[in-house]
Amino acid sequence: MKNFIIYASLALTFLVSKATAQEATFEMKARLIANKIEAISKEEKGALKEEIEAVNKELEAGTITREQADAKKLLLAETRSKNIETRIAQAQDELKDLVQQKVDGKLKDSKTKTFSFNFVNDTVKRPERRTTSQFVFAMGVNNLVTDGAVANSDYRYWGSHFYEWGVTWNTRLMKNDNLLHLKYGMSLMYNNLRPTDNRYFVVNGDQTDLVESPIHLEDSRFRNVYITTPLHLEFDFTKAKMSKEGKKMFRTHESFRFGIGGYAGVRVKSKQILKYEDGGRDVTQKTRGNFNANDFIYGVSTYLGYGATSIYLKYDLNPLFKDNAIKQNNISLGVRFDLN
């Protein structure tokens, strides 16, 4: 029933936007993609919950051991995570294209009044809410900090990148002041590294080494995927407005914003992708495994921007690899969109 409501809302919103006969804005298009991703995520998470409950019943009945139950749950979680990644790959491409159109100036900002999902306009009174929700999408460059520096990195500066998307909730902390907000939610994070000098990762016991390939590599990429829970204290300088009844109305994401906080999460997948030519054939080799990467991730993050767009900086406080002799911590810098 929930999925039906979600898809019905998408369809109805599409029809309303057609009826307005206005050019779709960046915010409108991104909101449609966000709802598509949210629907997929809810569907897969719901299915995983049912599967976990079935495993728990087997455990209670004594048909499987605790170790077997834990192994089953881990396999189910990995399968559902892969399903989510596969199903939202198309949405990811749509978001990339949409952001590029925004950067190129091919999309206009929303300055005209349009219908929202709640069908609110000037003729309908909207109750003041202290908590709002946003779809968050971020992208940018990614690298590793070694001995406190990113200089002379073993990874390409522009070829290594990150993507992140998720849902956040923004709660105004003071009743009659709009400055302080608590921002929290859940995100899916992709960190990609592209080694320099024709190198790739090799696991040697508890060490993960970067070694030179004996053949020419057209591409060498190492990807880690995480599910994280971000938490930020946000300073929003959007001024309050007065309603026709003389009451203060508080809005968000309409002026300068600054957020500081952190995140914590779990690694759900690591994968190395190598591309090379073999006898005139293009070969793509994908290797999955843990590569001795830390199973958990935690770090600090901050963002500064205007409206829905911000500059975004993240830094992992724990190293990428658990036991490597040289500790290297992931750092990301990019642009972030918080769409109400």
Side-chain angles (χ1 to χ4, degrees):
M1 184 63 182
K2 289 183 179 179
N3 289 338
F4 171 77
I5 293 173
I6 292 171
Y7 289 119
S9 299
L10 286 173
L12 190 55
T13 304
F14 176 76
L15 291 175
V16 170
S17 64
K18 283 288 187 180
T20 59
Q22 296 177 340
E23 179 185 355
T25 64
F26 174 80
E27 290 82 359
M28 292 167 62
K29 289 185 175 182
R31 192 178 293 116
L32 288 174
I33 298 173
N35 277 268
K36 181 193 298 184
I37 293 174
E38 185 178 3
I40 292 171
S41 179
K42 285 185 177 180
E43 181 180 335
E44 292 293 338
K45 289 178 181 178
L48 176 60
K49 183 179 179 180
E50 293 179 0
E51 291 170 343
I52 295 296
E53 290 175 353
V55 173
N56 288 334
K57 289 180 180 179
E58 290 184 73
L59 181 61
E60 292 174 2
T63 57
I64 59 174
T65 65
R66 170 67 65 179
E67 291 74 17
Q68 290 173 326
D70 291 342
K72 271 191 171 184
K73 291 178 183 178
L74 180 60
L75 179 60
L76 290 170
E78 290 177 348
T79 300
R80 289 298 171 183
S81 173
K82 183 178 179 181
N83 287 351
I84 292 175
E85 181 184 2
T86 301
R87 295 181 63 188
I88 64 180
Q90 181 181 356
Q92 178 184 1
D93 292 338
E94 292 176 10
L95 278 171
K96 290 181 187 177
D97 182 64
L98 187 63
V99 172
Q100 189 61 52
Q101 291 183 52
K102 176 72 172 177
V103 173
D104 294 341
K106 297 179 181 179
L107 289 174
K108 65 178 183 179
D109 293 324
S110 55
K111 297 180 180 178
T112 57
K113 296 177 182 177
T114 58
F115 288 96
S116 70
F117 287 107
N118 295 322
F119 301 96
V120 177
N121 56 31
D122 287 344
T123 63
V124 180
K125 293 183 178 180
R126 177 173 59 183
E128 191 69 32
R129 295 181 298 169
R130 291 179 65 174
T131 298
T132 58
S133 61
Q134 296 83 37
F135 169 71
V136 176
F137 173 68
M139 62 185 297
V141 293
N142 191 69
N143 220 291
L144 295 185
V145 173
T146 306
D147 294 329
V150 187
N152 303 315
S153 174
D154 291 324
Y155 310 95
R156 292 164 51 190
Y157 290 109
W158 295 112
S160 302
H161 53 267
F162 83 96
Y163 297 103
E164 179 183 350
W165 58 77
V167 179
T168 60
W169 289 267
N170 188 329
T171 298
R172 191 174 79 249
L173 295 179
M174 292 178 285
K175 184 177 181 180
N176 295 311
D177 191 279
N178 201 38
L179 180 62
L180 294 179
H181 295 253
L182 187 65
K183 199 174 181 72
Y184 49 95
M186 180 171 289
S187 294
L188 190 64
M189 184 190 303
Y190 293 74
N191 290 341
N192 294 275
L193 293 168
R194 279 190 165 91
T196 58
D197 301 328
N198 201 50
R199 292 178 292 179
Y200 71 108
F201 284 106
V202 173
V203 176
N204 292 317
D206 63 354
Q207 300 290 300
T208 302
D209 300 325
L210 196 58
V211 302
E212 186 175 354
S213 172
I215 61 175
H216 174 69
L217 298 175
E218 295 179 358
D219 189 21
S220 174
R221 188 189 339 160
F222 182 52
R223 172 186 293 169
N224 288 282
V225 183
Y226 304 90
I227 293 178
T228 65
T229 54
L231 178 66
H232 292 92
L233 180 64
E234 182 174 284
F235 298 82
D236 193 325
F237 295 92
T238 302
K239 293 183 179 179
K241 298 179 181 179
M242 300 300 294
S243 68
K244 294 179 180 179
E245 294 78 17
K247 295 183 179 180
K248 279 187 176 181
M249 297 188 302
F250 298 102
R251 298 290 184 263
T252 62
H253 302 77
E254 293 182 0
S255 184
F256 288 101
R257 294 184 301 114
F258 168 69
I260 185 168
Y263 52 91
V266 295
R267 181 179 58 84
V268 295
K269 184 171 62 175
S270 294
K271 179 168 62 176
Q272 182 165 246
I273 304 169
L274 304 177
K275 294 183 179 181
Y276 54 91
E277 187 176 303
D278 182 15
R281 296 182 301 110
D282 292 329
V283 178
T284 299
Q285 177 184 317
K286 299 180 180 179
T287 306
R288 291 183 174 87
N290 63 22
F291 288 87
N292 294 319
N294 263 308
D295 294 325
F296 300 96
I297 183 177
Y298 58 93
V300 292
S301 55
T302 183
Y303 53 89
L304 173 66
Y306 185 90
T309 307
S310 304
I311 300 298
Y312 187 33
L313 176 65
K314 302 183 297 179
Y315 176 70
D316 292 356
L317 293 176
N318 61 328
L320 174 59
F321 299 109
K322 289 183 287 189
D323 301 311
N324 271 17
I326 299 177
K327 303 301 181 184
Q328 294 181 305
N329 298 51
N330 199 88
I331 189 169
S332 306
L333 175 65
V335 62
R336 167 181 172 137
F337 301 95
D338 293 69
L339 305 172
N340 277 308

